[in-house]
Amino acid sequence: MKFAATVTALTSLTLALSPAQAKDTSPPATPPKLIVTISIDQFSADLFAEYRQYFQGGFKRLSQGVVFPSGFQGHAATETCPGHSTILTGDRPARTGIIANHWYDLSTKRADKLVYCAEDENEPGTDSDHYVASVAHLRVPTLGDRIKAADPAVRVVSVSGKDRAALMLGGRHTDQIWWWGGKGFVTLKDRPSDLIVDRVNAVVAARLATAQPATALPPICEERNYPVRAGEQTVGTGRFARDAGDNKAFRASPELDASTLALAAALREEMKLGEGAHTDMLAIGASATDYVGHSYGTQGAEMCVQLMSLDHDLGDFFAKLDDAGIDYVVVLTADHGGQDLPERNDVNAAPMAARINTNLNARTLGQAIGTKLGLHGPVLYSDGPNGDYYVARSLSPAQRKSVIAEAMGMLHDHPQVAAVFSHDSLAAMAPPSGSPDTWSLTERARASFDAQRSGDFVVLLKPRVTPIATPDKGYVATHGSPWDYDRRVPILFWRKGLQGFEQPLPVETIDIMPTLAAMIGLKLAPNDVDGRCLDLDVGEEDMCSHTLSP
């Protein structure tokens, strides 16, 4: 196959849809040769349900497999890094140690006390914006790490539009790991360049240097094509027209996912993944849906075009795997969901949605408490109006106790706050168990809690409160809440010959890893992971019955 065939996604962003592959009724009898894990950033269960009837490409094929429409990222910190840390580890953030995209470490010697989840903050001269990418903060192995330990000949490749997605999916022992770096795909600092990646980057660079006209609007997107005012901008009618060299516009468009899938296909072909005697792994993080959701919201023409384009590009990607004659299994899910911008909710019969009050942030709250208690300097630290809050370590134990009491009292009375939990109360709890749809807010917060990294208290906002006070270009809507519109994601399995079924009862993304482990015969020790194996075999035999080591 010529190289050009592996990058057709870069030049085929039209919306003509590929037909889904016909079913094969022969059940697979041996482990697959390739595991393909795809995470669609911000692809909520709500979006899957809304567009499912329209999919004709890759999503349609997956919908003919085993479908769990109510998968859960059970934890409260529904952000990219924690969500991706669950998918191929089988563990919740409380166990992976990835409690958020960012957290504060007030004991670090670095001037910038904010720590990024996918960095090594011990690298000299770095801060949370200028960092060296690393998987150092992930405390547990990924499936790739485990199968590498069992069989070093296995190849593990991870490709994404975001570094944190590639690192959390891939783990510590990837053979190749690449993510979008702004002008091309980049890798870890100690990894060599790769000729095939250089060639893909050259194609992407040429496309990026060329202005792009507006994408054609599919008929199903017409009803979503109307303007909504959000602050100083209008969203809802965009179709991804882009000036030459506009990196940010490229990132928040179908072009990013097409490029990511093209690179994944090129690496698979170059390394002949799935063509040897072992089961190889290919993890793909499709990040554009998240950037589109943040930039334009989830219910406009932009998201419609994005999902129809991704459906087409996934279909092309699967067709390449079919042409190679590989026995592969695909699992597709998401790191979190998302909610639409409140301005469109307001015109779409949901006026109860709102933006966060500007006085709900660590600096304003800390200043009020400092004035009341006679304290000087910063008192509170937080990366946003919700999530983890940290009390200054320069204060005495008695002062810290007073600050926590004052802050929790003020937040408890705030009309946009649902709950506030102290570090000590969460630390005293057992990890949650049972069906994630029944968990209390405390249990959801506990699933994200790490005794060393979590804040002195945790703030959860009320439903439909968007933690963006003022919408800005590229940031009008978001996620990160403990509510089901952010927690519920689809989980889809497909393999040629796998008899499909749909199970509407809740499962968790942590169940993906032990399910794949069972499929390839990788043994797990009892209680080794938080998740459980999902029996995908509709026959009497339980595919999960022999997954645990004695």
Side-chain angles (χ1 to χ4, degrees):
M1 183 183 294
K2 294 182 179 180
F3 169 75
T6 69
V7 293
T8 55
L10 294 178
T11 54
S12 62
L13 289 175
T14 63
L15 298 177
L17 302 178
S18 303
Q21 177 160 307
K23 285 189 175 181
D24 187 316
T25 57
S26 302
T30 57
K33 292 297 184 181
L34 179 64
I35 294 173
V36 180
T37 303
I38 302 174
S39 175
I40 310 297
D41 202 319
Q42 205 182 137
F43 187 46
S44 67
D46 294 332
L47 280 178
F48 175 64
E50 180 180 351
Y51 286 94
R52 186 176 179 180
Q53 62 182 312
Y54 304 116
F55 292 139
Q56 294 296 319
F59 283 124
K60 182 174 182 178
R61 179 192 294 207
L62 297 178
S63 296
Q64 294 171 343
V66 177
V67 178
F68 298 94
S70 289
F72 273 82
Q73 294 280 4
H75 51 274
T78 47
E79 294 184 313
T80 299
C81 214
H84 279 98
S85 81
T86 71
I87 294 170
L88 287 177
T89 64
D91 290 319
R92 301 185 184 105
R95 201 163 178 172
T96 68
I98 308 300
I99 63 166
N101 285 345
H102 295 86
W103 59 82
Y104 275 90
D105 181 357
L106 300 181
S107 66
T108 184
K109 295 180 180 179
R110 192 169 74 176
D112 177 12
K113 304 298 185 182
L114 190 64
V115 175
Y116 177 50
C117 64
E119 71 159 321
D120 181 355
E121 67 272 21
N122 296 314
E123 290 280 348
T126 62
D127 58 43
S128 58
D129 288 326
H130 309 88
Y131 56 85
V132 174
S134 170
V135 74
H137 291 303
L138 184 64
R139 288 181 170 152
V140 296
T142 63
L143 180 59
D145 293 332
R146 290 175 183 271
I147 63 175
K148 271 283 195 181
D151 182 358
V154 166
R155 281 83 53 80
V156 177
V157 175
S158 186
V159 180
S160 180
K162 295 182 181 179
D163 55 9
R164 54 187 178 269
L167 289 162
M168 295 301 133
L169 291 173
R172 286 180 168 79
H173 301 294
T174 52
D175 294 273
Q176 293 268 20
I177 184 165
W178 298 88
W179 60 85
W180 180 248
K183 296 182 179 180
F185 289 95
V186 298
T187 190
L188 295 168
K189 69 170 188 175
D190 59 348
R191 299 289 181 92
S193 61
D194 183 276
L195 179 60
I196 203 73
V197 181
D198 291 343
R199 296 173 72 179
V200 170
N201 275 339
V203 175
V204 176
R207 183 176 181 90
L208 183 56
T210 304
Q212 295 299 309
T215 304
L217 193 67
I220 68 162
C221 299
E222 289 285 358
E223 64 184 15
R224 297 167 173 84
N225 185 35
Y226 57 91
V228 174
R229 192 70 175 170
E232 298 300 316
Q233 61 183 309
T234 299
V235 300
T237 59
R239 301 211 303 275
F240 305 115
R242 174 178 59 76
D243 292 336
D246 190 337
N247 298 330
K248 289 186 177 180
F250 177 93
R251 188 180 69 172
S253 79
E255 293 180 287
L256 176 61
D257 285 344
S259 302
T260 304
L261 288 166
L263 177 57
L267 287 169
R268 194 232 56 86
E269 181 181 356
E270 177 194 42
M271 300 175 69
K272 300 189 182 304
L273 300 179
E275 298 183 31
H278 313 272
T279 298
D280 297 318
M281 286 198 62
L282 175 59
I284 303 170
S287 303
T289 302
D290 185 69
Y291 290 124
V292 171
H294 285 305
S295 298
Y296 307 105
T298 62
Q299 294 299 305
E302 300 92 348
M303 183 60 75
C304 184
V305 172
Q306 159 62 18
L307 291 179
M308 292 298 100
S309 297
L310 181 55
D311 180 48
H312 171 257
D313 293 337
L314 285 171
D316 279 356
F317 176 74
F318 296 148
K320 291 182 177 66
L321 297 181
D322 296 337
D323 290 344
I326 299 168
D327 177 14
Y328 65 97
V329 61
V330 180
V331 58
L332 183 145
T333 189
D335 54 345
H336 54 74
Q339 67 165 328
D340 200 22
L341 63 155
E343 290 82 0
R344 186 155 44 217
N345 282 328
D346 184 51
V347 299
N348 285 352
M352 66 290 293
R355 294 194 176 277
I356 195 74
N357 192 298
T358 55
N359 66 13
L360 190 56
N361 61 72
R363 181 174 182 177
T364 302
L365 191 65
Q367 287 175 342
I369 294 171
T371 299
K372 182 175 181 178
L373 299 180
L375 303 174
H376 301 286
V379 172
L380 290 175
Y381 298 84
S382 178
D383 190 39
N386 59 324
D388 294 282
Y389 278 64
Y390 300 80
V391 179
R393 295 295 185 264
S394 59
L395 303 179
S396 70
Q399 290 172 326
R400 286 172 47 79
K401 184 176 181 180
S402 296
V403 168
I404 292 172
E406 287 287 341
M408 291 185 64
M410 294 171 67
L411 288 163
H412 182 271
D413 294 335
H414 196 285
Q416 292 185 318
V417 172
V420 188
F421 303 114
S422 71
H423 182 283
D424 291 346
S425 67
L426 293 175
M429 286 181 61
S433 60
S435 186
D437 62 325
T438 66
W439 290 357
S440 66
L441 283 181
T442 314
E443 290 173 311
R444 300 176 193 191
R446 178 62 180 83
S448 304
F449 174 81
D450 178 272
Q452 294 181 17
R453 293 174 180 168
S454 293
D456 293 293
F457 54 89
V458 175
V459 179
L460 303 182
L461 301 179
K462 288 184 177 179
R464 295 172 292 277
V465 175
T466 295
I468 303 172
T470 304
D472 196 3
K473 186 176 182 180
Y475 198 55
V476 301
T478 192
H479 47 84
S481 82
W483 306 108
D484 283 359
Y485 48 75
D486 282 344
R487 295 171 73 227
R488 286 181 61 247
V489 297
I491 300 176
L492 314 174
F493 290 88
W494 183 92
R495 185 183 181 190
K496 185 177 181 181
L498 180 66
Q499 184 172 340
F501 65 86
E502 184 147 343
Q503 175 51 267
L505 295 178
V507 297
E508 292 187 71
T509 54
I510 58 172
D511 300 331
I512 291 171
M513 192 280 270
T515 303
L516 295 174
M519 193 174 289
I520 62 175
L522 180 69
K523 301 293 186 181
L524 301 175
N527 302 314
D528 196 18
V529 296
D530 292 329
R532 67 180 179 89
C533 175
L534 303 171
D535 183 13
L536 305 184
D537 187 345
V538 299
E540 293 184 1
E541 183 177 352
D542 183 354
M543 64 170 270
C544 302
S545 60
H546 305 295
T547 61
L548 295 180
S549 298

